[in-house]
Amino acid sequence: MGERCLVPAGSLQSDGGPEAISVPPAHPRDKWSKKMDFLLSVVGFAVDLGNVWRFPYICYQNGGGAFLIPYTLMAVFGGVPLFYMELALGQFHRTGAIPIWKRICPIFKGIGFAICIIGLYVSFYYNTIIAWALYYFYSSFSSTLPWASCDNPWNTPNCTNYFGRNNVTWTNFSRSPAEEFYTRKVLELQKSGGLYNVGGIRWQLLLCLFLIFTIVYFSLWKGVKTSGKVVWVTATLPYLVLLILLVRGATLPGAWRGVLFYLRPDWGKLLSTAVWVDAAAQIFFSLGPGFGVLLALASYNHFHNNCYRDALITSAVNCLTSFLSGFVIFTVLGYMAEMRDVEVEDVARDKGPSLLFITYPEAIANMVGSTFFAIIFFLMMITLGLDSTFGGLEAVITAVMDEYPQVLAQRRELFVLGLITVCFLGSLSTLTYGGAYVVKLLEEFGAGCSILAVVLLETIAVSWFYGIQRFSHDVKAMLGFTPGLFWKVCWVAISPTLLFIVASSLLEQPPLALFGYRYPAWSTSLGHLIGASSFICIPVYMVYKLVWTPGSLKQVRATSAHCTQLPCFDQGEGQG
């Protein structure tokens, strides 16, 4: 398979790209209708459920207010530079995560396939969490919330309701009404024997997931013309709800205890390496470089759009949203500590979905106006999740359609329907009685170390193989100025080093457990296989490229070195 070098991607465009050359694209590329459509889409992807639960938990666990120092530094030297790099790459090359490597460094094209596989794994479990929120949303339309008392058919003798009651004994066997509603009514974990026997499918959750994917399909089927309009609701509504919940939380008794606990600086913890690793992991997963989403969304921008300013604005909004959500969560945790007459630390032990589906709903159930606050809280969760789903699936859609434009360019609606169907079928195991165990397994291994390794290789490929000077010239062609020395040093050295350290630290994970269930050893092995199944695409494609490209290894290297002077395309792969 021969290779030939063509003109830079930016020069093929008709909207003012440099060195305009008349090589018209086979199919005109969509553009965002408004600049705000793009910004809201990026913010909607970056701000997800993790901002609401993971940042507050990580913050108080790692020194409270002192944690903001390593978090800010990791954002400045790691997260934001990679965020900027991906937006610039997508905007300049105008293509998705798979074919873009033919223009940067062809031997790394496996990165694009790895990104798409990771995107599928995330869709298998992430939308199920949104389906849980939809189930709660539906259940909230009641004068008395179903998780407010122990008088329901699904409750056990261990159910203990301590709100508004005196002399209630809380033991290690006690379970709150909110916990039993989540585990025994929503999930029905009692009907599962763990991963050995996950049981049948919960038809109620199946309907919720079907509705979620229906919304996703009709938001994505026409491309950025439709999704850009939907995000005006899904990306802005969460901020209105967060402000309402913040005001309500601040007026609760004991709220100040939660805020003090959230922000109380513990400077001694800054001496721990784990705190800095947690800060880096949080910012990388929060901003989301490596998922191909930023590449895809930016590829629909006009060539001279100021993606540098966009990167600074959207990453700042993401970080500030995480900080704001901490106040929303911890004012309520302080209130719960006041009601339980315990320390905030004892209430705040839960994290992840448990915080969103047990701890916070439990507090809401005992507020005045509980029905209203429950409805808006779970509506916020649904919209936060949908935004991230839009971005994740758009990354896969753009990557595959740009790779095979002759086949798929006129069949977007059909292709999106097929992709949504695959995601829906892949999610069925998470809808079983033991589906929560599957969700946690996929969450831990589907996009953990693998996505960090992908981002690391992507950064190395762009900075070292494509060349930092060549990339800087691309940015100058779009923006009129060259990235400063700070950005170049981050791209070449600092960000890759941080990624390597974080990925290495995540390789050693404690044994998985959920609601007292300890995962069997084989499930951890299965998880590692899931993580490796995406990353393996990169070395496999490298071997394929070296074997099937004619000539000796020395000739292949010389050809690749010459081709990376300009974007390279493989003949017969849908580009030309």
Side-chain angles (χ1 to χ4, degrees), residues 23 53 145 262 267 298 324 360 396 416 421 451 514:
V23 185
W53 69 263
L145 296 176
Y262 173 44
W267 304 108
L324 172 66
Y360 204 92
V396 179
V416 173
T421 302
I451 192 64
L514 183 66

Side-chain angles (χ1 to χ4, degrees), residues 73-336:
L73 290 176
M74 292 301 171
V76 170
F77 291 101
V80 178
L82 296 177
F83 197 86
Y84 176 23
M85 172 182 277
E86 283 214 354
L87 288 183
L89 283 171
Q91 183 170 305
F92 183 84
H93 292 286
R94 306 285 187 88
T95 189
I98 296 177
I100 194 174
W101 293 102
K102 291 180 285 189
R103 309 182 178 196
I104 297 175
C105 190
I107 203 169
F108 282 99
K109 188 177 175 181
I111 290 177
F113 293 107
I115 287 173
C116 291
I117 293 175
I118 291 173
L120 286 177
Y121 286 153
V122 171
S123 72
F124 290 165
Y125 74 84
Y126 193 81
N127 294 286
T128 298
I129 298 176
I130 309 175
W132 296 346
L134 181 59
Y135 187 96
Y136 269 85
F137 178 71
Y138 167 78
S139 302
S140 298
F141 287 89
S142 172
S143 57
T144 302
L145 296 176
W147 59 87
S149 69
C150 294
D151 304 325
N152 303 288
W154 58 83
N155 291 128
T156 68
N158 290 326
C159 184
T160 305
N161 191 357
Y162 54 84
F163 269 88
R165 303 182 183 184
N166 297 321
N167 301 321
V168 174
T169 303
W170 186 270
T171 69
N172 291 333
F173 299 100
S174 298
R175 297 291 180 267
S176 68
E179 181 177 346
E180 291 205 341
F181 178 79
Y182 177 53
T183 58
R184 298 182 60 83
K185 176 61 176 174
V186 179
L187 304 178
E188 295 194 7
L189 283 175
Q190 71 275 14
K191 297 182 180 180
S192 166
L195 290 176
Y196 288 103
N197 178 23
V198 294
I201 292 177
R202 291 268 289 122
W203 67 267
Q204 296 94 334
L205 295 181
L206 183 69
L207 290 178
C208 290
L209 187 67
F210 180 80
L211 180 57
I212 292 296
F213 273 121
T214 301
I215 295 172
V216 171
Y217 173 72
F218 286 108
S219 299
L220 296 177
W221 69 326
K222 294 292 186 182
V224 295
K225 300 296 184 183
T226 52
S227 63
K229 298 297 179 286
V230 176
V231 293
W232 280 84
V233 176
T234 56
T236 57
L237 181 62
Y239 289 96
L240 175 62
V241 176
L242 281 174
L243 290 175
I244 294 173
L245 294 176
L246 177 61
V247 172
R248 182 67 185 100
T251 61
L252 294 171
W256 62 272
R257 293 177 57 187
V259 173
L260 285 179
F261 187 80
Y262 173 44
L263 295 180
R264 184 192 310 136
D266 185 352
W267 304 108
K269 287 197 173 184
L270 295 185
L271 300 177
S272 171
T273 304
V275 173
W276 294 84
V277 170
D278 282 347
Q282 173 62 23
I283 196 65
F284 286 136
F285 284 118
S286 179
L287 290 177
F291 284 95
V293 178
L294 303 176
L295 286 173
L297 298 180
S299 71
Y300 299 106
N301 275 335
H302 293 281
F303 186 76
H304 291 297
N305 172 66
N306 192 339
C307 57
Y308 171 66
R309 183 177 57 200
D310 295 345
L312 296 181
I313 293 174
T314 52
S315 55
V317 168
N318 174 72
C319 295
L320 291 174
T321 303
S322 297
F323 186 59
L324 172 66
S325 66
F327 288 98
V328 174
I329 295 297
F330 273 90
T331 52
V332 169
L333 294 183
Y335 163 64
M336 291 186 65

